[in-house]
Structure formats: C-alpha cells, structure tokens
Amino acid sequence: MLPSSPSDVTVAMAGLELLPATRLKMACSLLAADRLTVRLIEWGAEPATLLVADETSYAGRHAIQSAQQDRVPSIRLNGAPHASAAMPVLPRLATVREFVDALKASLQDGPTAAPETATAWDAPLPYPMLEQLRLDRRRDTRVLLELGLFRVVSDTRSGQLHMLRRMPLEELLERAFKPDWRVTEVSDREWQSVYQPDVTRSYAIETLWWRLPLDAQDEDLPRMADTSRLRTWPDLDAGATPASWPLVLAYMASRSWRAEALAAATAAPMDDVQRVMARVRLSGLEASLSDPPTGVRASATRHAGTLLKMAKRFGLKLFGKAHG
C-alpha cells in the first residue's frame, strides 16, 4: 500500500528516450490519485528517492551505478532481470500502466530520504560530454568523444580538450547537452599514434564551462535552490564571461548561499545567478560537505581589482557596497 496521507517523492530519470520519458511523466501524474505528489527531475540535479534509467544508454548505466552506491532504488529499462526487488526491470517501450505499477512497487514502503552522504555533485551527469569534462574527477586515461562529425579527446590530467577536426567551438558547445555522445577510452599508444597527429586545436577544459551557451540554462541546466561555497576559484574566460558572473562567484568564495539571497547580495539577475550556480555544481567546482576550507577566498581577493572595475562600470554592488 502507498502512504495514506499526502506525500512528496522525487523521481529521477536518466538516459530515457522521448517516448519512455513522456510515458513516465504521465505515470507520475497518475499517482496523484494515490495522494502521492511526484517530482520528476534529471538524475544528478539533486538527491532523489527513486531512479528510472535506461540501462543501454551511457547516462543510464552511470546513473544506476551511482544509485547503487547511494542505496537509491532503481527501475531499469532494457536491463536483465535482477535478484533485487529494488531493481525492477521494464521493457524499452513500457506502457504508462507498467510505469505506474513499477513506481508503486518501488515506493510501496513510502518515500525514503536520500542518504545523507548522497550529494548532487557526487552523481554522474546525464550528459556524457560534460561528465568527461568534470573538474573534480581527474581520469588516468584520455577519452575520445564522438557525435556525428564532431570528434574530440578529453584529457583531464592535463586539463585539455583536443579537437580532431576543424569546427567552430560554439557549435561543439551547443551539442554539449546531447545524451548520445559516444565515449571511448584511449590508451597512451593510441593517443600518440592515431589521435595526437590529428589535433587541430586544444582548449583549457575549465574555461569551456564558462563558454556554454547562455540560453542552455532554461532547458538543460538544473534550477538551483542553493549552493555550497566554491572549492577553488575558476579559470574564467574573460572574453566570454558576463559582467555579473565574477561578482556572484566572489560571494560564493567563502560560504554557501540560497539562490534568492545570493541574487539580492550581488544585485545580479536571478537567471545569471542560476547559470553560475549550475555551472559551479556540474563542473565540480562546488565544495562538498567533507571538503576542508581552502584558500579560494584569497584567490577571489587577488581578482578584487578586476571585480571592482566591473562593479563600477556596470553599477553593481560588491560585498554590500554600491560602486558607480
């Protein structure tokens, strides 16, 4: 039996195609008849009660692995039967009724909070390309990323993204949120003999996070209610960074914030605050609860001259003071 009193649960999805995702949304809405309010989000945006993932997709497999580590029950599409009742399996084109029954079965003991140790920044991203560019997960091997004619190699050890074909960077970044990037590990020998000779240009990975399309926020980046402090000061691309963003980052350098309070303190538009907060979290620049304090505030202080000039130019507030 589902809870008899109104309850709220958060269901995350990962790697689902359009039709299964649409049917899952319909199933979640039908659970209102059982006095159960279901919020449906993308895996990795925030802690979730339950995961629904397509096991044949890159994003789905990584989400399932992370959910297992965090003891979050999963409903798997296209998977093989599993001994655990917490991991029911549905066909790729499951019906709305099948989704409803699976959701009820997985939530029959009532919604449970995500483990305290589970944090949004620990979960794999539902975007294969962005997952390979995370700054908090340095990999020992290079990775080849392919999508149509786009071919790049990510090397997080050196912090570089290498382009293997001549293409506008803007077009590449517009496709960063596509779920169907093919990911292949590259050995040192393959890199030296096959891929390195084809490199046309290389970019610092850290600056790419700040060059993602601004209009990606509304559809692709998660909306943030709060943020932890910065783990380290980012390497901004000065030519592509809106004026208000460094101010928002400066306030994030020493402590956590609620989104509304951060917007009020910086006098920055809420959309800009959301874009900065989402990039900080997805890139791995946000400190987790276990991270010790660092010298990030000192890094922000070194940028004080530039921040003050920007504040004066655009009439923004910096640390509670207006500059004009």
Side-chain angles (χ1 to χ4, degrees):
M1 294 289 292
L2 291 173
S4 57
S5 59
S7 302
D8 294 331
V9 296
T10 300
V11 174
M13 59 181 178
L16 269 63
E17 297 177 351
L18 178 59
L19 181 57
T22 301
R23 290 176 175 175
L24 175 60
K25 292 177 183 178
M26 294 178 62
C28 290
S29 65
L30 289 175
L31 290 179
D34 292 290
R35 300 174 63 81
L36 196 65
T37 301
V38 180
R39 295 176 57 246
L40 187 61
I41 63 172
E42 289 288 344
W43 178 259
E46 59 184 85
T49 308
L50 175 69
L51 168 67
V52 181
D54 186 333
E55 197 168 42
T56 63
S57 70
Y58 176 89
R61 289 194 301 273
H62 280 69
I64 290 170
Q65 292 173 3
S66 180
Q68 289 175 324
Q69 294 174 358
D70 295 337
R71 301 188 300 279
V72 176
S74 303
I75 297 173
R76 299 178 299 143
L77 272 62
N78 293 318
H82 195 278
S84 172
M87 293 191 69
V89 177
L90 293 178
R92 182 176 66 88
L93 297 178
T95 65
V96 174
R97 172 49 57 189
E98 287 175 319
F99 272 122
V100 169
D101 292 341
L103 289 169
K104 286 184 176 181
S106 298
L107 298 171
Q108 61 184 355
D109 293 329
T112 57
E116 294 182 0
T117 55
T119 55
W121 49 86
D122 287 333
L125 302 182
Y127 319 111
M129 180 178 176
L130 294 185
E131 170 68 18
Q132 300 302 322
L133 302 183
R134 286 178 64 155
L135 302 170
D136 58 343
R137 296 186 177 178
R138 303 288 180 179
R139 290 169 174 79
D140 294 331
T141 59
R142 298 176 183 86
V143 172
L144 173 67
L145 298 161
E146 299 176 283
L147 178 66
L149 296 178
F150 289 86
R151 301 177 78 237
V152 296
V153 170
S154 171
D155 184 354
T156 56
R157 291 177 299 181
S158 64
Q160 296 285 310
L161 182 72
H162 306 286
M163 302 178 77
L164 302 182
R165 288 197 175 104
R166 296 187 183 277
M167 65 191 80
L169 178 63
E170 292 72 18
E171 291 187 16
L172 174 68
L173 295 180
E174 286 176 359
R175 291 163 174 78
F177 298 94
K178 297 292 185 181
D180 46 353
W181 280 90
R182 181 181 176 185
V183 180
T184 308
E185 289 190 357
V186 174
S187 68
D188 289 342
R189 179 178 297 180
E190 289 174 322
W191 163 248
Q192 294 171 4
S193 63
V194 178
Y195 300 108
Q196 189 173 26
D198 289 339
V199 172
T200 60
R201 189 166 182 180
S202 300
Y203 294 91
I205 289 176
E206 189 166 349
T207 65
L208 297 182
W209 285 98
W210 307 98
R211 298 187 64 169
L212 292 174
L214 294 183
D215 57 2
Q217 171 65 40
D218 294 336
E219 295 183 1
D220 300 303
L221 298 183
R223 299 293 292 181
M224 313 291 292
D226 51 40
T227 181
S228 180
R229 60 178 172 81
L230 281 177
R231 180 170 53 82
T232 184
W233 184 262
D235 183 10
L236 300 176
D237 186 319
T241 303
S244 61
W245 290 19
L247 301 179
V248 175
L249 289 164
Y251 276 82
M252 293 172 61
S254 60
R255 68 178 181 88
S256 60
W257 288 87
R258 297 287 295 178
E260 295 82 1
L262 185 55
T266 59
M270 178 57 75
D271 283 347
D272 282 0
V273 170
Q274 286 287 332
R275 287 165 178 149
V276 172
M277 290 170 57
R279 282 164 172 77
V280 167
R281 177 161 296 180
L282 295 182
S283 67
L285 285 174
E286 186 179 22
S288 66
L289 298 177
S290 59
D291 285 339
T294 65
V296 64
R297 186 55 181 263
S299 299
T301 303
R302 288 197 296 272
H303 293 263
T306 301
L307 296 176
L308 183 57
K309 290 179 182 178
M310 297 178 74
K312 287 182 176 180
R313 179 181 177 185
F314 294 97
L316 301 174
K317 291 192 300 182
L318 181 60
F319 300 116
K321 297 181 180 180
H323 301 273

